Amino acid sequence: MKVLRNVALVVAMSLLALPALAQDFIAGIPRNEALIIQGTPAQNADWFNVWAPGGGSNVNGLQQLTTDTLWFINPEGGADAWQNALASERPIYNDDFTQMTVKLREGIYWSDGVEFTADDLVYTVQTQIDHPGMGWSAPFALNVASMDKPDRDTVVFHLKAPNSRFHTLFTSRWNAAWIMPKHVFEKAGDPLAFPNNPPVSLSAYVLNSYDKSGNWAIWRLRDDWQRTSIGMDWGQPAVKYVVYRAAGNPDARVIEQRNHNLDVINDITPEGMFTIMRDAATSSTAWRKTFPFAHPDPTLPSVLFNTKEKPFDSKDVRWALTLAIDIRAVALGSYRGAATLSALAVPPTGSAPDDYFRPLQQWLTDFELDTGSRKIKPYDPAISGQIANMVRPTWGDQIPTDPAEQQKAFGFGWWKQDLRAATELLQKAGFTKQGNRWMKPDGTPFRFRLQVEGDAIPTLARAGTTIAQQWSQFGVDAKVEVAGPTNGQRLTAGDFDTAIYWSIETWGGHPDLSFFLDSYHSQFIKPLGEMQPPRNLQRWESPELDRLIEANRSVAFDSPKVLELGRDFLKLAVEQMPMIPLMAYNKFAPFDTTYWTGYPSVDDPYSASGPNWSNLRYMIARLKPNPAAPKS
């Protein structure tokens, strides 16, 4: 409680120090027509070519508001999770998945008045095949043998090999292969060098203005919004202007939202979220209106093991380190208890609780682990309830007592901290203990790094600190190492021992695991020192894993077999523990309701809420003006 009081005091003092209407970044735009979103400072702000690297920032409205592709999947799940966008219906495959036919909508236009047709789709694929280095050139070159265009609204893809997931290249949950304007790029010369400034829009908004220093970008509703997939499906958006602006550090974001200068926040610290939801409840809302408030992304923070490095090539060692963790302390230390736990190698979000977690609870409860001395049942289905009880003294009746509601907020079970079993597993792997220090089979101390990114993701940095402390208390010399901006490069090069990060991201709204699983095949594993393709950062290799991936490739995207194969994968991941799943990537993302209402929530999960997610366009289309908003 002292932490919350201190944060509240700092915020209150900061509010007094700032002008209540410090809105120079939207000078001349009526505030009640603008939605202001936390953005990212852009390098080379003049670059708007979303198909080629060149700086810029695709996530400051470019991919959310001006691009479009064939299909979307709502990562929150639900009956309407699949959404046709530029395509008029789902992909049509032949019997052996060597051919995919796409039927396009009629009546969609680019913002400069040119009609969108099959020519744009064919041009998008062929141009990227012909220009290695463009965003989707590699997967298109790998898959596409040729294309036919029977008419202006139909494209037939002939594939080099059977691929029942080819359509996923054009299916967005965060981004996808966006369609290029043929009439613009065919006159532009080298598509890798073309800045595409200003961008021609295929969706409901166009570029209005931007800061040359990269601090903000403003987008305006098209006059012909009805000639877009958004307009056709959702009608006229009430939001006329969308402003993406850099909003400083997490504390600054809290202040800006309290001043009503920031409607949508991407992420802040737990303490900042708690402050907003307690002190600004009349003008703020969130994914959950009660604790834990956070929105769970379909991404799975885990302890990643470098399985190509000894002793982490041993599943006994990996399991020993798992059972040395008290996940309750990790949840409290990282998220102040607002964590949604996951013992399975899939985030507990979207459709996954019904598709995987509930059906596998009995299997997890019955799962036995051989420590070398005995067999144990390490799973504890009651841990989420224990965490709920630990935070109840602070949050009172906001904490549910119903087990099903607790599972929604805090996740399902996790592994018991069992230091005796962890000891037996290390001994089974040839380790010995000298005093309070574990020694490896070669007689040297068991010493390694636990890499975290740092302040960019404070919750995961805190989790790393807590876990390293627990391992140290167990006798393992584990030191946290902050990688900062080099984190991604070091992970993909295999320059780490263990790390807190994610290598699993899912569709969220669909049970198929191919979004990450296909990249786990051994054909993609690179030697240490070479850049590992996304997303198997732990370089886990297993014949059984390959068999499951190959089987999944051979069945239709919506086949019931997908669930069976997904559950088999999750069981294999438990048995081999190539990474230690921790929790969903819960994001503290409050909304200001002073000017806009109708934000998505756990009770109405019609869209993802993250500002850098491309399906944020669906949220923007649903927002309504607050009739009580101040007049501009």
Side-chain angles (χ1 to χ4, degrees):
M1 292 298 294
K2 183 178 179 182
V3 171
L4 292 176
R5 286 196 298 271
N6 289 344
V7 171
L9 180 61
V10 170
V11 170
M13 293 177 65
S14 302
L15 288 169
L16 295 174
L18 289 174
L21 295 173
Q23 299 180 25
D24 291 344
F25 56 91
I26 58 167
I29 293 177
R31 178 64 180 94
N32 59 5
E33 294 182 356
L35 179 74
I36 304 176
I37 298 174
Q38 176 195 331
T40 302
Q43 302 297 321
N44 188 10
D46 298 317
W47 187 266
F48 292 93
N49 185 345
V50 72
W51 299 275
S57 179
N58 295 345
V59 296
N60 279 346
L62 185 60
Q63 77 169 24
Q64 298 90 338
L65 301 172
T66 72
T67 59
D68 211 347
T69 190
L70 303 180
W71 304 284
F72 280 75
I73 289 180
N74 179 3
E76 309 307 333
D80 299 323
W82 180 277
Q83 295 153 332
N84 295 325
L86 295 177
S88 62
E89 57 186 276
R90 287 176 178 252
I92 304 166
Y93 284 97
N94 63 353
D95 291 341
D96 65 356
F97 301 109
T98 58
Q99 180 178 298
M100 185 185 83
T101 300
V102 178
K103 298 287 188 179
L104 300 175
R105 286 191 184 189
E106 299 180 24
I108 291 178
Y109 283 77
W110 295 93
S111 58
D112 60 0
V114 175
E115 190 169 9
F116 161 75
T117 70
D119 288 336
D120 294 302
L121 177 54
V122 171
Y123 180 84
T124 297
V125 175
Q126 192 61 56
T127 299
Q128 297 196 65
I129 290 174
D130 294 341
H131 294 84
M134 297 190 76
W136 299 91
S137 59
F140 286 150
L142 179 67
N143 283 283
V144 178
S146 63
M147 292 172 282
D148 293 333
K149 192 190 69 171
D151 56 62
R152 64 186 298 281
D153 298 310
T154 305
V155 176
V156 180
F157 291 93
H158 301 278
L159 307 180
K160 293 179 178 179
N163 185 352
S164 60
R165 302 297 187 272
F166 179 68
H167 69 280
T168 62
L169 298 178
F170 300 99
T171 306
S172 175
R173 125 282 192 224
W174 187 85
N175 77 342
W178 307 116
I179 307 305
M180 301 173 70
K182 177 178 182 290
H183 65 285
V184 173
F185 271 79
E186 66 183 355
K187 302 173 185 176
D190 182 1
L192 285 162
F194 179 51
N196 194 35
N197 186 0
V200 176
S201 172
L202 190 56
S203 195
Y205 289 80
V206 293
L207 181 66
N208 183 79
S209 56
Y210 68 97
D211 174 34
K212 291 281 189 176
S213 298
N215 292 314
W216 52 262
I218 300 177
W219 311 85
R220 175 178 51 81
L221 183 66
R222 284 172 54 171
D223 294 334
D224 63 341
W225 53 265
Q226 67 274 18
R227 299 201 299 182
T228 68
S229 66
I230 286 289
M232 289 179 176
D233 291 338
W234 298 79
Q236 181 176 2
V239 176
K240 185 173 181 179
Y241 297 96
V242 181
V243 182
Y244 274 81
R245 59 170 297 225
N249 63 35
D251 290 339
R253 295 168 208 159
V254 173
I255 296 166
E256 287 291 79
Q257 187 162 99
R258 294 288 301 274
N259 277 333
H260 313 304
N261 292 333
L262 190 61
D263 299 313
V264 180
I265 288 177
N266 184 43
D267 203 4
I268 52 178
T269 64
E271 295 83 4
M273 185 72 178
F274 300 161
T275 296
I276 284 179
M277 297 310 292
R278 281 183 156 165
D279 299 342
T282 58
S283 62
S284 298
T285 189
W287 185 254
R288 290 181 175 276
K289 293 180 175 57
T290 58
F291 188 91
F293 307 112
H295 174 266
D297 276 3
T299 303
L300 185 69
S302 305
V303 177
L304 306 181
F305 293 108
N306 189 338
T307 63
K308 297 303 181 186
E309 182 182 90
K310 288 185 176 299
F312 305 113
D313 58 344
S314 166
K315 73 174 184 179
D316 290 327
V317 172
R318 301 192 295 260
W319 257 109
L321 292 172
T322 303
L323 297 181
I325 293 173
D326 181 351
I327 197 63
R328 297 167 300 182
V330 176
L332 291 171
S334 59
Y335 278 95
R336 302 297 185 250
T340 310
L341 303 183
S342 178
L344 294 174
V346 65
T349 61
S351 66
D354 291 329
D355 292 335
Y356 294 118
F357 283 85
R358 288 188 181 88
L360 288 177
Q361 284 304 296
Q362 190 59 53
W363 182 88
L364 286 165
T365 301
D366 294 338
F367 172 73
E368 289 189 336
L369 183 66
D370 186 352
T371 70
S373 301
R374 58 199 170 101
K375 290 186 177 180
I376 63 167
K377 292 184 176 181
Y379 185 68
D380 184 354
I383 281 184
S384 61
Q386 294 168 16
I387 296 174
N389 291 335
M390 294 169 79
V391 298
R392 186 171 283 110
T394 300
W395 294 100
D397 58 9
Q398 289 196 33
I399 307 303
T401 56
D402 177 70
E405 291 302 313
Q406 287 181 1
Q407 288 170 349
K408 290 180 183 178
F410 298 96
F412 292 75
W414 211 77
W415 312 109
K416 306 167 189 174
Q417 186 184 40
D418 188 338
L419 299 183
R420 177 188 168 193
T423 295
E424 293 168 354
L425 284 161
L426 284 185
Q427 291 171 339
K428 179 183 176 184
F431 286 65
T432 57
K433 205 166 190 182
Q434 294 182 4
N436 193 42
R437 291 200 311 167
W438 279 105
M439 311 300 287
K440 293 188 291 186
D442 63 5
T444 60
F446 190 16
R447 179 182 296 126
F448 60 88
R449 303 164 294 165
L450 177 58
Q451 182 172 305
V452 299
E453 185 168 356
D455 291 341
I457 310 180
T459 48
L460 300 193
R462 295 174 181 181
T465 298
T466 303
I467 290 171
Q469 289 173 346
Q470 293 178 351
W471 284 343
S472 296
Q473 291 167 0
F474 177 54
V476 173
D477 187 1
K479 293 286 194 301
V480 171
E481 183 172 352
V482 177
T486 68
N487 189 58
Q489 184 177 12
R490 290 180 59 182
L491 289 173
T492 55
D495 180 18
F496 71 98
D497 302 320
T498 64
I500 305 286
Y501 204 63
W502 53 79
S503 65
I504 288 177
E505 299 173 275
T506 66
W507 293 110
H510 192 283
D512 178 61
L513 300 182
S514 66
F515 191 85
F516 77 93
L517 186 58
D518 200 68
S519 65
Y520 273 39
H521 196 281
S522 61
Q523 72 188 98
F524 300 120
I525 292 178
K526 299 293 185 182
L528 295 179
E530 295 185 19
M531 304 306 280
Q532 174 71 20
R535 300 180 172 76
N536 187 6
L537 298 174
Q538 60 276 351
R539 289 171 164 82
W540 175 28
E541 187 171 359
S542 161
E544 178 62 13
L545 177 62
D546 282 353
R547 186 193 69 78
L548 290 171
I549 294 170
E550 290 161 8
N552 199 54
R553 289 173 176 173
S554 69
V555 300
F557 189 65
D558 294 316
S559 168
K561 185 76 171 176
V562 164
L563 271 174
E564 179 184 335
L565 291 168
R567 291 168 187 168
D568 287 345
F569 163 78
L570 295 174
K571 292 175 183 178
L572 180 66
V574 166
E575 292 162 356
Q576 296 198 11
M577 199 61 73
M579 80 290 285
I580 307 174
L582 297 174
M583 58 195 73
Y585 184 28
N586 280 0
K587 298 178 78 170
F588 297 103
F591 304 111
D592 186 65
T593 59
T594 302
Y595 293 95
W596 302 102
T597 63
Y599 295 100
S601 68
V602 69
D603 298 318
D604 187 14
Y606 65 85
S607 167
S609 62
N612 54 4
W613 286 65
S614 60
N615 62 28
L616 188 78
R617 65 192 68 199
Y618 296 113
M619 183 191 90
I620 293 170
R622 283 273 296 266
L623 294 181
K624 300 298 181 185
N626 185 344
K631 302 300 181 183
S632 296

